[in-house]
Amino acid sequence: MRLILFGPPGVGKGTQAKLLAEEFGIRHISTGDMLRAAFAAGTTLGRKAKSLMDAGQLVPDDVMIGIVREVLASPDNKKGFILDGFPRTLAQAKALTKFFDELKITDYRVVNFELDDDEIVRRLNNRLVCRKDGKIYNKEMDGLSPGNPCPACGGELYQRDDDLAETVRKRLKVYHMTTAPVIEYYKAGGMVVNIDGNSSIDVVNREIKMMVN
Ligand code: AMP
């Protein structure tokens, strides 16, 4: 299974990636998680990335392409992988095609999640993330607050700095201007499947599995 999960922030890519990675024993490659881990580790890259992330901006292509090149080259990915949050620009998509060619990867799918902006703002405003296992919750639906323990692993739940309403609006602007057009690049190759981001977690999970089987 080789998937590229594509779509706006807050649409459910991370949730689905985690479920599928667990079910199939394959790697979840989240560039956002990697940048947050770099910041938590106190690296220079992490600090630089954090200020861009908090401003709702993208991290430069050369940095992101370098990170993904290294990860994809690892033998851990032989069984498959789920890319979540990459590519976000046309330059990244073209670089990825080049890596796939080099690695002789021909069979992959692009899962294109669709959801309207108002629902995204509502969801991100309600999103809580576990510091330990990265699981994602919804304040309203799950009845949880920042600081509560994660129901799955007991880690601390927190709200991402870039999930504040004002930053979400900026991220959406960047998404519509820079990232959304990238889907045309993949549509031209005929490997895109659309997913309704309003469907439940279970329904989306089933749809993705049906599509890749
Ligand atoms: P995410 O966790 O995927 O929502 O990513 C959080 C933030 O990390 C984004 O808003 C960007 O600032 C940065 N980021 C993650 N992936 C990329 C990427 N492929 N290209 C540029 N910036 C990225």
Side-chain angles (χ1 to χ4, degrees):
M1 182 186 274
R2 297 188 187 95
L3 297 177
I4 298 172
L5 304 191
F6 189 90
V11 76
K13 303 188 298 293
T15 299
Q16 292 299 332
K18 284 185 177 66
L19 280 175
L20 293 163
E22 224 165 83
E23 273 179 80
F24 290 86
I26 57 177
R27 185 151 182 199
H28 170 200
I29 305 172
S30 160
T31 44
D33 283 354
M34 283 179 203
L35 295 173
R36 283 182 287 277
F39 177 72
T43 66
T44 312
L45 163 71
R47 277 198 303 276
K48 279 190 191 154
K50 169 85 170 140
S51 62
L52 290 165
M53 290 160 88
D54 286 353
Q57 300 296 320
L58 295 181
V59 172
D61 282 339
D62 55 343
V63 175
M64 299 314 302
I65 289 169
I67 292 175
V68 170
R69 171 187 283 129
E70 211 168 288
V71 176
L72 280 179
S74 152
D76 298 355
N77 302 314
K78 278 271 177 289
K79 269 176 77 182
F81 53 79
I82 303 169
L83 269 170
D84 162 17
F86 187 97
R88 268 178 154 100
T89 66
L90 190 57
Q92 292 180 15
K94 287 182 173 169
L96 188 60
T97 301
K98 198 168 143 259
F99 300 158
F100 284 175
D101 285 348
E102 285 164 11
L103 296 165
K104 307 210 175 346
I105 291 172
T106 48
D107 56 330
Y108 62 94
R109 290 282 177 282
V110 181
V111 184
N112 181 32
F113 289 72
E114 297 171 308
L115 191 64
D116 66 56
D117 284 7
D118 288 344
E119 177 61 15
I120 288 169
V121 173
R122 218 172 57 82
R123 279 198 198 176
L124 290 183
N125 196 36
N126 268 301
R127 176 159 76 176
L128 290 175
V129 186
C130 173
R131 280 197 201 282
K132 208 166 148 200
D133 67 8
K135 285 223 165 67
I136 297 161
Y137 297 92
N138 182 292
K139 277 194 257 180
E140 255 174 31
M141 267 153 44
D142 299 316
L144 293 163
S145 308
N148 283 166
C150 167
C153 78
E156 188 201 1
L157 298 181
Y158 77 106
Q159 179 159 26
R160 277 170 49 173
D161 291 337
D162 60 347
D163 279 349
L164 299 173
E166 198 193 323
T167 314
V168 168
R169 291 275 175 213
K170 286 188 199 146
R171 288 163 68 198
L172 281 171
K173 228 184 199 171
V174 170
Y175 177 76
H176 289 299
M177 267 181 59
T178 310
T179 305
V182 175
I183 201 66
E184 300 308 322
Y185 174 79
Y186 287 112
K187 276 187 183 157
M191 65 263 291
V192 177
V193 181
N194 294 323
I195 290 277
D196 180 359
N198 271 308
S199 303
S200 71
I201 293 174
D202 283 353
V203 168
V204 174
N205 178 261
R206 247 179 289 136
E207 281 182 7
I208 296 176
K209 283 189 287 197
M210 262 164 40
M211 164 198 111
V212 294
N213 273 327

